[in-house]
Amino acid sequence: HVLWAAPQSLVADETRRWLAASGAFEDVLEPGSSVPPTFVLEGALAELHGDFRPGETPRAVLGLRFALVDVRGREPRVVMSREYSAETPLESTSADALVAGWNTGMRRVLAELESDLRAVPRR
């Protein structure tokens, strides 16, 4: 069992798709776009693993850090920064169950991120 792309790329792509579909933003640009951004969302994958300790319920663990940077002024400024995490109980220790757990956790994290981004004043 392997991931077809680097986890960071998968997370970045899914985050872009989620935020574009949310309708909360005029545009969600792809990397390399020629359109100058007003805000940049920086992210880092902090944790991605399965917790299979003996005697414990197996869990898919996902941790992400995001910072929203206002790049409209002379100096970029962080307007929101937060760490997000999700631990999803698994029904088995199979690779399929682990990926399904990561997907569930990712949806929870992205819903929280979307809510937080909607609350940031963008004047």
Side-chain angles (χ1 to χ4, degrees), residues 19-31:
L19 294 177
S22 76
F25 309 96
E26 279 186 39
D27 295 300
V28 176
L29 305 173
E30 294 290 327

Side-chain angles (χ1 to χ4, degrees), residues 72-92:
R72 295 175 292 181
R74 194 181 297 254
E75 293 291 322
R77 141 182 105 82
V78 175
V79 294
M80 187 209 77
S81 179
R82 182 170 167 205
E83 292 189 20
Y84 299 85
S85 63
E87 294 186 4
T88 305
L90 304 176
E91 293 184 17
S92 76

Side-chain angles (χ1 to χ4, degrees), residues 27-96:
D27 295 300
V28 176
L29 305 173
E30 294 290 327
S33 172
S34 61
V35 176
T38 53
F39 291 87
V40 173
L41 183 64
E42 297 181 358
L45 182 59
E47 280 189 285
L48 184 69
H49 63 90
D51 182 350
F52 302 116
R53 288 177 284 176
E56 301 287 330
T57 299
R59 296 175 294 154
V61 179
L62 172 70
L64 299 165
R65 288 189 293 266
F66 288 103
L68 183 65
V69 181
D70 184 342
V71 295
R72 295 175 292 181
R74 194 181 297 254
E75 293 291 322
R77 141 182 105 82
V78 175
V79 294
M80 187 209 77
S81 179
R82 182 170 167 205
E83 292 189 20
Y84 299 85
S85 63
E87 294 186 4
T88 305
L90 304 176
E91 293 184 17
S92 76
T93 58
S94 72
D96 289 342

